[in-house]
Amino acid sequence: MTLSESLVRLRYRFFPDHVVGEILGKKWIDSIIPFMALVVLIAIFGSIVPRFFELSTLANLSGQTAELGLIVLGLTIVMVSGGIDLSVGSTFALAVLATLYGMNVGQWSFGTGLVATLGVGLACGAVNGFMVGILRMRAFLTTLVTLIIFRSIFEIVFPQVSTEIVTSYPDSPLYDYLGMGRFLGTPVTFLVFAVIAIALHIVLSRGRYGWRLLAVGGARRSAYNAGVNVRLTVFSAYIVCSMMVALAGFFFASRIGSAASDIGAGLELQALTATVLGGISLGGGRGSVAKALMGTVFVLILSNSLLQLAVPGPVNDFVLGLVLVAAVFLDVRWVKNRHKILRSVYISPTFNKMPPSVSTESGSPMAPNDRLRQVGVIGLGILDGAEDVIFDRNDNLYTGSRHGDILRWFPPDYTRHEVFAHIGGAPMGMTFDEAGNMAVCIGGMGLYQITPSGEVSLLTAETNRSLTSVADDSSMKLADDCDILPDGRIIFSEATVRFEMHDWYADALESRGNGRLIVYDPKTKSTRTILSNLVFPNGVCTSYDGQSVLFAESWACRINRYYFAGPKTGQVERVIEGLPGYPDNINRASDGTYWLALMGMRTPALDLSLEMPDFRRRMARRVSEDAWLMPNLNTGCVLRFDEQGRILESYWDLGGQKHPMITSMREHKGVLYLCGIFNNRMGTLALPDADPNWCGVDTYWRKPA
């Protein structure tokens, strides 16, 4: 390796550019802008507003935060579900009126007053929720109308009872303590608000109801297709919102003890500014409690500081309006361009110099030929996306389907088939355990098990998180191929932790060690990663020695051996280096050797570009994906090799007429069966010298008597 190549390799090893994309891909990155805006606001007004950082000022701010914060959280729930509620100010006014009349005039108990106030919120929310959620009316226009209606009700009733409210006083120590009490110097209302905010955070981020809200707001049609009751979810969101607004009104009434005719006027502007500024998307499906709280504090600090600086109320509203316009602009632009920005920095190619290719000249075992040209065909036009093939002891053949099905084909001619099980996702590699249960890797979903009767269950979809990983790599993105170990554990590959299945070509462009080898133990139901930083690990096959496993690294064009038992436990050895194509699945052969599928061939242009990371980065940013340099997947090949890594023979279809891409093959009773994830058929090739009674499952487990 030259000095320049060494420097480039070191540069990409110690300064990994992909970290930038992983940071920008974090969920909390959306909170950076409102957080920085809040810091700047505190710095500005903290230096010009008298007594800004005094305890009394902070205590007063926390009390107001409890009231406005509840309104903002309620509005957040509605906006997350894809709606909007412009009537929060009018609902707040009705709630304050109900509280003051009940507690001051009616001399209600604390519990009665609270229930009555929440009942007002429930009624207002039910009106909005019924029209928007059930009748599917436009949220903006509907809540604009109810804003006027609720405000009109307040203005009709308030003059009739205002005198009684002012001249009467509540007789409830608990009510007085709620409004004026302090616990360790903190207003009681703020502590109650904090508990509610934490509970709501858990619901939105961990609860089923929160997931439904996000699903409805993000893609209403998809949520409906997934079984979510969209109308009921939207209806409930408006009810929860109005009840939280009513609770804020109860807090406000207990603190102020009176009300003016303009109570709640303009409150919807403050609440909407706080939610949008905090990063709650106007389009729905995106938002959190933390973002809502940042927006709330920002609006309160801005409003209070302007008032202390003797800025007139109309100017205050004008400033809030400008902030809202800026927040909406940023929200729209960010939502529209976030994916583009992230995509431009997320793909981060690294230096990867490929070794010289194994010779394919005439006379060598890898010499191109047309031995696959005349193979038989199974399932022409029926199969779609069969990545792997496997047989049970009864000669039944199993393949996956692009539609998420596992198909079972019946001997002897394999023309009849049935859907053995439906899982979803993209079925990839398969293996059988001693009891006849099938383990199957599902791209984007994890490792699943199918019993002989067709019952499906999830084995694992998570593994231990890497300590040095910026992104959370505990969830599996692309479980690829699997095999069974002698003790019953399942070892499988995850091709990449950075890209989803439909973005596999981006991983090829990076040629970075994004993959890993994982072991699942059905006895302890535990999952752990045993090897990381692998270059698109693909095929996995337990070797005959019972102590090691062979696995392929596709973009590195090599086969490795990992020892899981014996004196070399934990060691990795190179078995084949410099393959002329990209290795995929590996399976046992009847003579003690191994079959290997090459899903495509290397090209000089792509090999050369792997030594130029900057070129590939510019290509990813400036050229459409269909024009990227790609692995050549139009010419597939199957080869056979022994324990020492010697290639013994190869089978090609140079014209690509029947099997342009081969991802897997399986020998069974003298016939080699070929699969390709992009092919619409399966191939059969008779092997004259193979054992006609050989079944791969019997080489793992003793054949029943």
Side-chain angles (χ1 to χ4, degrees):
M1 182 179 296
T2 64
L3 177 60
S4 61
E5 290 177 347
S6 300
L7 293 176
V8 172
R9 186 183 293 273
L10 290 174
R11 174 258 187 269
Y12 283 95
R13 178 179 179 183
F14 293 106
F15 299 97
D17 297 346
H18 69 283
V19 173
V20 176
E22 290 180 351
I23 292 176
L24 291 178
K26 303 289 283 186
K27 291 183 178 179
W28 51 259
I29 202 68
D30 289 347
S31 304
I32 291 295
I33 294 177
F35 177 77
M36 294 303 298
L38 182 59
V39 171
V40 172
L41 188 75
I42 293 174
I44 293 174
F45 285 111
S47 61
I48 62 177
V49 175
R51 300 182 298 277
F52 184 88
F53 294 106
E54 290 186 1
L55 292 178
S56 58
T57 303
L58 297 178
N60 181 54
L61 178 65
S62 62
Q64 296 179 55
T65 300
E67 297 157 11
L68 181 60
L70 283 172
I71 299 172
V72 172
L73 290 181
L75 189 56
T76 295
I77 293 175
V78 169
M79 291 177 63
V80 162
S81 69
I84 194 170
D85 189 354
L86 300 178
S87 68
V88 290
S90 301
T91 302
F92 179 82
L94 287 177
V96 172
L97 177 61
T99 302
L100 291 175
Y101 185 81
M103 300 303 296
N104 291 17
V105 180
Q107 296 295 299
W108 292 345
S109 65
F110 179 87
T112 303
L114 178 59
V115 170
T117 303
L118 293 178
V120 171
L122 176 64
C124 294
V127 171
N128 285 331
F130 179 77
M131 290 192 292
V132 176
I134 306 302
L135 299 182
R136 302 180 68 178
M137 297 172 65
R138 297 281 186 179
F140 185 90
L141 294 177
T142 300
T143 56
L144 181 62
V145 171
T146 55
L147 177 155
I148 299 172
I149 294 174
F150 297 160
R151 172 59 63 177
S152 299
I153 294 174
F154 173 81
E155 292 178 349
I156 292 172
V157 176
F158 181 73
Q160 309 299 322
V161 298
S162 58
T163 302
E164 293 181 272
I165 290 175
V166 174
T167 57
S168 304
Y169 300 94
D171 184 19
S172 173
L174 185 57
Y175 179 73
D176 293 336
Y177 180 70
L178 177 68
M180 305 302 296
R182 296 286 192 274
F183 181 79
L184 299 178
T186 304
V188 175
T189 53
F190 181 79
L191 297 177
V192 176
F193 164 72
V195 172
I196 294 174
I198 293 173
L200 183 59
H201 168 72
I202 295 173
V203 170
L204 286 180
S205 60
R206 297 291 185 270
R208 182 172 297 178
Y209 179 68
W211 296 338
R212 288 175 178 173
L213 287 172
L214 292 167
V216 170
R220 184 162 296 191
R221 173 60 62 181
S222 297
Y224 174 80
N225 292 337
V228 177
N229 191 328
V230 174
R231 296 189 179 188
L232 182 60
T233 301
V234 174
F235 177 77
S236 66
Y238 280 92
I239 288 180
V240 173
C241 172
S242 293
M243 291 184 70
M244 295 186 73
V245 172
L247 183 59
F250 191 81
F251 285 2
F252 178 84
S254 67
R255 179 170 65 90
I256 302 299
S258 182
S261 60
D262 63 345
I263 187 72
L267 188 58
E268 55 278 344
L269 174 62
Q270 285 186 303
L272 190 58
T273 302
T275 51
V276 177
L277 182 64
I280 313 300
S281 176
L282 288 168
R286 182 166 58 90
S288 68
V289 170
K291 295 176 182 178
L293 294 182
M294 282 191 291
T296 301
V297 174
F298 184 98
V299 168
L300 284 176
I301 290 177
L302 179 61
S303 300
N304 291 348
S305 298
L306 291 176
L307 287 175
Q308 291 188 48
L309 294 174
V311 175
V315 177
N316 196 329
D317 292 340
F318 175 74
V319 173
L320 281 178
L322 292 179
V323 173
L324 178 59
V325 169
V328 170
F329 174 78
L330 290 174
D331 175 73
V332 172
R333 299 300 297 177
W334 176 248
V335 170
K336 182 178 180 180
N337 297 301
R338 182 179 188 273
H339 178 73
K340 296 179 182 178
I341 296 172
L342 181 59
R343 183 81 177 189
S344 66
V345 299
Y346 192 79
I347 298 178
S348 178
T350 189
F351 181 85
N352 181 26
K353 185 172 184 177
M354 298 293 289
S357 173
V358 172
S359 174
T360 57
E361 295 181 358
S362 178
S364 70
M366 284 300 301
N369 54 68
D370 284 320
R371 299 173 72 178
L372 297 182
R373 180 64 59 85
Q374 302 302 324
V375 297
V377 175
I378 293 177
L380 178 62
I382 300 174
L383 282 170
D384 186 12
E387 196 273 345
D388 195 14
V389 53
I390 196 170
F391 290 83
D392 62 17
R393 287 193 174 101
N394 297 320
D395 297 335
N396 295 314
L397 181 156
Y398 300 84
T399 62
S401 165
R402 196 184 307 278
H403 306 292
D405 298 324
I406 302 296
L407 304 179
R408 176 162 56 187
W409 300 75
F410 299 102
D413 54 3
Y414 301 108
T415 57
R416 296 184 302 113
H417 74 280
E418 66 177 5
V419 176
F420 176 56
H422 177 76
I423 302 178
M428 308 290 277
M430 299 175 284
T431 189
F432 281 111
D433 66 12
E434 190 172 14
N437 299 306
M438 177 189 291
V440 54
C441 290
I442 306 295
M445 296 173 62
L447 182 68
Y448 280 72
Q449 177 179 276
I450 309 175
T451 65
S453 61
E455 297 179 2
V456 177
S457 61
L458 172 66
L459 295 180
T460 180
E462 293 186 349
T463 184
N464 53 294
R465 179 173 178 174
S466 304
L467 296 178
T468 57
S469 174
V470 175
D472 184 1
D473 60 354
S474 58
S475 298
M476 298 176 189
K477 283 186 167 56
L478 185 49
D480 201 318
D481 193 24
C482 59
D483 208 353
I484 197 85
L485 300 182
D487 58 4
R489 291 180 297 163
I490 302 171
I491 186 167
F492 62 101
S493 60
E494 184 181 14
T496 175
V497 299
R498 281 174 47 79
F499 299 97
E500 305 291 345
M501 182 173 178
H502 58 275
D503 283 335
W504 62 266
Y505 47 84
D507 194 272
L509 194 68
E510 279 198 351
S511 286
R512 182 185 300 279
N514 296 326
R516 54 191 173 183
L517 210 59
I518 304 172
V519 166
Y520 171 76
D521 191 341
K523 298 176 182 177
T524 62
K525 300 187 184 304
S526 61
T527 309
R528 68 182 183 92
T529 300
I530 56 176
L531 286 178
S532 300
N533 304 319
L534 303 177
V535 186
F536 208 83
N538 208 321
V540 176
C541 182
T542 304
S543 60
Y544 287 97
D545 60 14
Q547 296 184 350
S548 61
V549 62
L550 298 165
F551 67 93
E553 288 184 274
S554 294
W555 311 141
C557 298
R558 62 194 179 207
I559 307 297
N560 305 306
R561 184 191 301 273
Y562 170 76
Y563 289 91
F564 57 82
K568 295 184 178 181
T569 299
Q571 296 184 24
V572 177
E573 293 179 353
R574 194 84 71 228
V575 177
I576 304 178
E577 183 86 48
L579 285 166
Y582 304 102
D584 207 307
N585 286 3
I586 309 170
N587 287 308
R588 293 179 177 181
S590 58
D591 61 354
T593 59
Y594 302 92
W595 295 104
L596 170 65
L598 298 183
M599 58 178 166
M601 296 298 115
R602 290 165 56 177
T603 60
L606 184 56
D607 281 3
L608 180 60
S609 72
L610 293 179
E611 302 176 33
M612 299 182 289
D614 288 334
F615 164 76
R616 304 200 317 275
R617 180 182 292 104
R618 291 193 301 271
M619 180 176 63
R621 293 178 179 178
R622 301 178 185 178
V623 180
S624 62
E625 296 175 5
D626 59 351
W628 287 359
L629 281 175
M630 292 279 190
N632 174 22
L633 304 181
N634 296 320
T635 303
C637 175
V638 173
L639 59 88
R640 188 167 59 87
F641 67 95
D642 61 16
E643 291 282 359
Q644 291 72 41
R646 293 189 296 262
I647 299 175
L648 305 177
E649 59 178 338
S650 61
Y651 298 79
W652 300 69
D653 180 8
L654 289 181
Q657 295 182 7
K658 290 191 175 181
H659 296 284
M661 178 186 185
I662 301 175
T663 54
S664 186
M665 71 280 104
R666 191 85 60 164
E667 181 182 341
H668 182 73
K669 294 191 174 181
V671 179
L672 188 66
Y673 295 81
L674 312 171
C675 277
I677 196 170
F678 292 154
N679 296 340
N680 65 346
R681 70 193 74 191
M682 190 186 324
T684 60
L685 177 66
L687 302 172
D689 299 328
D691 184 349
N693 300 312
W694 187 85
C695 176
V697 177
D698 294 334
T699 65
Y700 289 84
W701 317 109
R702 182 176 299 176
K703 186 176 182 179

